mmCIF file of all heavy atoms in Angstrom:
data_model
loop_
_atom_site.group_PDB
_atom_site.id
_atom_site.type_symbol
_atom_site.label_atom_id
_atom_site.label_comp_id
_atom_site.label_asym_id
_atom_site.label_seq_id
_atom_site.Cartn_x
_atom_site.Cartn_y
_atom_site.Cartn_z
ATOM 1 N N ILE A 8 74.285 -84.930 -183.649
ATOM 2 C CA ILE A 8 73.423 -85.699 -182.626
ATOM 3 C C ILE A 8 74.169 -85.596 -181.432
ATOM 4 O O ILE A 8 75.406 -85.969 -181.199
ATOM 5 C CB ILE A 8 73.351 -87.170 -183.040
ATOM 6 C CG1 ILE A 8 73.073 -87.362 -184.542
ATOM 7 C CG2 ILE A 8 72.425 -88.024 -182.226
ATOM 8 C CD1 ILE A 8 71.765 -86.810 -184.999
ATOM 9 N N GLY A 9 73.519 -85.289 -180.235
ATOM 10 C CA GLY A 9 74.089 -85.235 -179.013
ATOM 11 C C GLY A 9 72.961 -85.157 -177.868
ATOM 12 O O GLY A 9 71.827 -85.407 -178.249
ATOM 13 N N ASN A 10 73.397 -85.066 -176.658
ATOM 14 C CA ASN A 10 72.530 -85.016 -175.477
ATOM 15 C C ASN A 10 73.219 -84.397 -174.337
ATOM 16 O O ASN A 10 74.008 -85.075 -173.746
ATOM 17 C CB ASN A 10 71.880 -86.282 -175.137
ATOM 18 C CG ASN A 10 70.770 -86.276 -174.166
ATOM 19 O OD1 ASN A 10 70.716 -85.339 -173.413
ATOM 20 N ND2 ASN A 10 69.804 -87.196 -174.199
ATOM 21 N N PRO A 11 72.955 -83.129 -174.019
ATOM 22 C CA PRO A 11 72.209 -82.205 -174.665
ATOM 23 C C PRO A 11 72.737 -81.641 -175.898
ATOM 24 O O PRO A 11 74.030 -81.738 -176.087
ATOM 25 C CB PRO A 11 71.989 -81.106 -173.578
ATOM 26 C CG PRO A 11 73.333 -81.126 -172.888
ATOM 27 C CD PRO A 11 73.691 -82.546 -172.848
ATOM 28 N N VAL A 12 72.014 -80.941 -176.737
ATOM 29 C CA VAL A 12 72.594 -80.462 -178.030
ATOM 30 C C VAL A 12 72.168 -79.159 -178.411
ATOM 31 O O VAL A 12 72.600 -78.557 -179.323
ATOM 32 C CB VAL A 12 72.367 -81.638 -179.149
ATOM 33 C CG1 VAL A 12 70.945 -81.490 -179.657
ATOM 34 C CG2 VAL A 12 73.432 -81.444 -180.263
ATOM 35 N N SER A 13 71.136 -78.653 -177.680
ATOM 36 C CA SER A 13 70.502 -77.416 -178.056
ATOM 37 C C SER A 13 71.422 -76.199 -178.108
ATOM 38 O O SER A 13 71.315 -75.164 -178.782
ATOM 39 C CB SER A 13 69.307 -77.043 -177.165
ATOM 40 O OG SER A 13 69.699 -76.982 -175.835
ATOM 41 N N HIS A 14 72.494 -76.285 -177.278
ATOM 42 C CA HIS A 14 73.528 -75.205 -177.208
ATOM 43 C C HIS A 14 74.485 -75.256 -178.449
ATOM 44 O O HIS A 14 75.236 -74.403 -178.552
ATOM 45 C CB HIS A 14 74.462 -75.462 -175.982
ATOM 46 C CG HIS A 14 75.187 -76.704 -175.921
ATOM 47 N ND1 HIS A 14 74.552 -77.943 -175.775
ATOM 48 C CD2 HIS A 14 76.440 -76.901 -176.340
ATOM 49 C CE1 HIS A 14 75.501 -78.885 -175.949
ATOM 50 N NE2 HIS A 14 76.649 -78.353 -176.251
ATOM 51 N N SER A 15 74.456 -76.348 -179.300
ATOM 52 C CA SER A 15 75.511 -76.571 -180.269
ATOM 53 C C SER A 15 75.518 -75.389 -181.269
ATOM 54 O O SER A 15 74.487 -74.958 -181.748
ATOM 55 C CB SER A 15 75.178 -77.908 -181.051
ATOM 56 O OG SER A 15 76.105 -77.975 -182.105
ATOM 57 N N LYS A 16 76.804 -74.960 -181.568
ATOM 58 C CA LYS A 16 76.924 -73.996 -182.616
ATOM 59 C C LYS A 16 77.141 -74.654 -184.001
ATOM 60 O O LYS A 16 77.263 -73.912 -185.015
ATOM 61 C CB LYS A 16 78.092 -73.053 -182.352
ATOM 62 C CG LYS A 16 78.010 -72.329 -181.098
ATOM 63 C CD LYS A 16 79.068 -71.193 -181.032
ATOM 64 C CE LYS A 16 79.136 -70.401 -179.820
ATOM 65 N NZ LYS A 16 77.937 -69.941 -179.415
ATOM 66 N N SER A 17 77.103 -75.937 -184.146
ATOM 67 C CA SER A 17 77.321 -76.610 -185.402
ATOM 68 C C SER A 17 76.268 -76.233 -186.421
ATOM 69 O O SER A 17 76.770 -75.966 -187.607
ATOM 70 C CB SER A 17 77.360 -78.057 -185.147
ATOM 71 O OG SER A 17 78.528 -78.439 -184.394
ATOM 72 N N PRO A 18 74.962 -76.240 -186.204
ATOM 73 C CA PRO A 18 74.099 -75.800 -187.198
ATOM 74 C C PRO A 18 74.378 -74.435 -187.843
ATOM 75 O O PRO A 18 74.411 -74.166 -189.011
ATOM 76 C CB PRO A 18 72.627 -75.740 -186.525
ATOM 77 C CG PRO A 18 72.830 -76.762 -185.377
ATOM 78 C CD PRO A 18 74.229 -76.576 -184.895
ATOM 79 N N LEU A 19 74.766 -73.438 -186.980
ATOM 80 C CA LEU A 19 75.074 -72.066 -187.502
ATOM 81 C C LEU A 19 76.332 -72.139 -188.309
ATOM 82 O O LEU A 19 76.417 -71.511 -189.387
ATOM 83 C CB LEU A 19 75.319 -71.209 -186.164
ATOM 84 C CG LEU A 19 75.628 -69.742 -186.468
ATOM 85 C CD1 LEU A 19 74.612 -69.031 -187.371
ATOM 86 C CD2 LEU A 19 75.733 -68.941 -185.170
ATOM 87 N N ILE A 20 77.387 -72.952 -187.788
ATOM 88 C CA ILE A 20 78.687 -72.942 -188.639
ATOM 89 C C ILE A 20 78.319 -73.705 -189.879
ATOM 90 O O ILE A 20 78.912 -73.157 -191.046
ATOM 91 C CB ILE A 20 79.694 -73.899 -187.782
ATOM 92 C CG1 ILE A 20 80.015 -73.172 -186.527
ATOM 93 C CG2 ILE A 20 80.880 -74.150 -188.613
ATOM 94 C CD1 ILE A 20 80.892 -73.952 -185.533
#
Side-chain angles (χ1 to χ4, degrees):
I8 317 299
N10 186 331
V12 78
S13 57
H14 65 283
S15 173
K16 293 198 188 306
S17 294
L19 179 59
I20 293 170

